[in-house]
Amino acid sequence: MDRREFIKNTAFATGAVIGLGAITDVVASASNIILPGQINSAPLPKAMIKKSLKWGMVKEDLSVMDKFKMLKDIGYDGVELDSPNDLNMKEILAARDKTGLELPGTVNSKHWKLPLSDPDPKKRAECVKSIEQALWDTKQYGGTTVLVVPGVVNAEVSYSEAYERSRAELTKLLPIAEKTGVKIALENVWNQFLLSPMEAAKYVDDFKHPMIGWYFDVGNVLRYSWPVSWIEALDKRILKIDLKEFSFKKQNDLGLWKGFDVEFFDGDCNWPEVNKALQKVGYSGWASAEVSGGDRKRLQTIKDFMDKIFAS
């Protein structure tokens, strides 16, 4: 090769490498070169990474400590308690610390009996007080959320009344959420309220406050929508995930509520698509089973199903 040809080829190669670096930020070393097709090709973090369940699902006749030990031994990472509750705080904390089983959050125990949309202001005030207690309890437990049903629409409560009352009552709780560092996580349930994912997103956004978000229940929406649509709309507002299955066939053949009477993967929830949608919006965190519980064998079965969901 003559001198002129050598200079031309060298210039071309150098320019190509420089251009490639400017466009793709290629990092090269003597032993490692990242090619353009490898940039940003790392897999997204898994959406569901910690397994939890509801305390009421544990049907074994055991002490609090032994229930915690059993759940940890089965392979759960945490358990969610109701709050307010009749459990001894010191006993719960001792079991948590001894076993390493986490308490990621609580479920308010009064929001159905005393909804935030109730026509009686005294009942609404009692519900607010119970949520306030749940926020403080959750702080002690080391959790990050309190699950709250925002309101109920029925023959006595119109949609607009539920909207206005629930927003007013939840606003009163935001200063407590700030003090505790525990977020209020609103859940979609069969309460005939906030039935659209876009409406649910707007409901959260209108508070303009970082301490309120959404506890997304995958199975609950299948009655009237698709989980992926909700995930896309709720996006970063999703704080935690509840898992249950739902079958259109059982609903149609046996009645509405029978739709829940089906094991995971035997219903109509497309778990791989749910995982993809959650990854797309950047969710990576807790998932809690909310299904019929039972003894150790049953809880092991649920945990095994959760493993499959996490990996789907």
Side-chain angles (χ1 to χ4, degrees):
M1 181 185 294
D2 63 25
R3 182 172 177 275
R4 182 178 299 175
E5 187 70 19
F6 174 80
I7 293 172
K8 181 177 72 172
N9 290 343
T10 303
F12 174 80
T14 303
V17 171
I18 293 172
L20 186 60
I23 295 172
T24 64
D25 242 352
V26 170
V27 179
S29 68
S31 61
N32 184 34
I33 299 177
I34 300 176
L35 299 175
Q38 296 175 308
I39 302 298
N40 297 325
S41 63
L44 293 170
K46 287 185 177 181
M48 306 182 213
I49 57 176
K50 286 191 173 184
K51 291 179 287 293
S52 180
L53 75 167
K54 309 303 181 186
W55 182 248
M57 292 168 57
V58 184
K59 304 300 183 183
E60 291 273 10
D61 186 16
L62 300 169
S63 67
V64 167
M65 180 66 77
D66 286 339
K67 286 183 178 180
F68 271 59
K69 287 179 179 178
M70 178 183 67
L71 293 175
K72 187 67 174 179
D73 183 56
I74 290 172
Y76 288 98
D77 301 294
V79 63
E80 287 196 335
L81 309 179
D82 288 343
S83 180
N85 59 55
D86 296 325
L87 299 170
N88 182 281
M89 177 64 75
K90 289 184 179 180
E91 193 175 0
I92 291 292
L93 297 183
R96 178 200 66 183
D97 296 343
K98 177 75 173 179
T99 64
L101 191 73
E102 298 180 59
L103 297 164
T106 62
V107 179
N108 180 254
S109 56
K110 299 290 183 71
H111 53 199
W112 276 115
K113 184 179 179 180
L114 303 165
L116 293 172
S117 55
D118 196 282
D120 186 345
K122 291 183 179 179
K123 291 183 178 179
R124 298 201 301 272
E126 190 173 345
C127 186
V128 167
K129 185 177 179 181
S130 75
I131 297 171
E132 182 175 336
Q133 180 63 51
L135 289 166
W136 286 110
D137 284 348
T138 306
K139 176 180 172 60
Q140 284 193 266
Y141 293 148
T144 57
T145 56
V146 174
L147 187 157
V148 175
V149 173
V152 178
V153 174
N154 53 36
E156 289 74 40
V157 179
S158 71
Y159 209 98
S160 61
E161 287 171 336
Y163 204 96
E164 293 169 7
R165 290 170 186 164
S166 62
R167 284 190 57 78
E169 302 302 340
L170 286 167
T171 299
K172 297 174 185 177
L173 288 158
L174 292 176
I176 307 301
E178 287 180 352
K179 290 179 183 178
T180 59
V182 176
K183 294 184 179 184
I184 298 169
L186 308 175
E187 190 183 38
N188 50 289
V189 295
W190 289 7
N191 54 344
Q192 312 307 321
F193 184 50
L194 302 178
L195 302 176
S196 154
M198 296 181 73
E199 180 190 17
K202 183 179 185 302
Y203 185 87
V204 170
D205 290 347
D206 284 349
F207 284 99
K208 295 181 174 62
H209 202 287
M211 298 306 292
I212 191 163
W214 205 267
Y215 203 126
F216 179 59
D217 189 305
V218 179
N220 279 350
V221 300
L222 276 167
R223 171 187 168 191
Y224 45 77
S225 188
W226 297 103
V228 169
S229 297
W230 278 76
I231 294 166
E232 289 174 347
L234 290 172
D235 201 348
K236 302 298 183 184
R237 304 167 188 83
I238 298 174
L239 302 176
K240 286 194 174 80
I241 303 290
D242 260 351
L243 302 179
K244 62 168 66 80
E245 188 62 86
F246 190 81
S247 166
F248 295 137
K249 186 178 188 307
K250 283 207 167 184
Q251 171 194 263
N252 295 334
D253 292 349
L254 302 174
L256 182 60
W257 286 94
K258 288 295 183 179
F260 288 125
D261 189 17
V262 62
E263 291 283 21
F264 288 115
F265 296 100
D266 289 338
D268 291 290
C269 187
N270 189 327
W271 295 108
E273 290 303 313
V274 167
N275 267 319
K276 287 179 186 177
L278 288 170
Q279 286 180 304
K280 188 176 179 180
V281 301
Y283 182 83
S284 185
W286 286 95
S288 181
E290 190 181 32
V291 297
S292 297
D295 60 11
R296 182 188 182 99
K297 183 178 179 181
R298 170 61 181 163
L299 299 178
Q300 178 71 60
T301 297
I302 295 169
K303 183 264 179 186
D304 292 343
F305 275 128
M306 293 180 77
D307 285 338
K308 293 179 181 178
I309 289 172
F310 280 32
S312 64

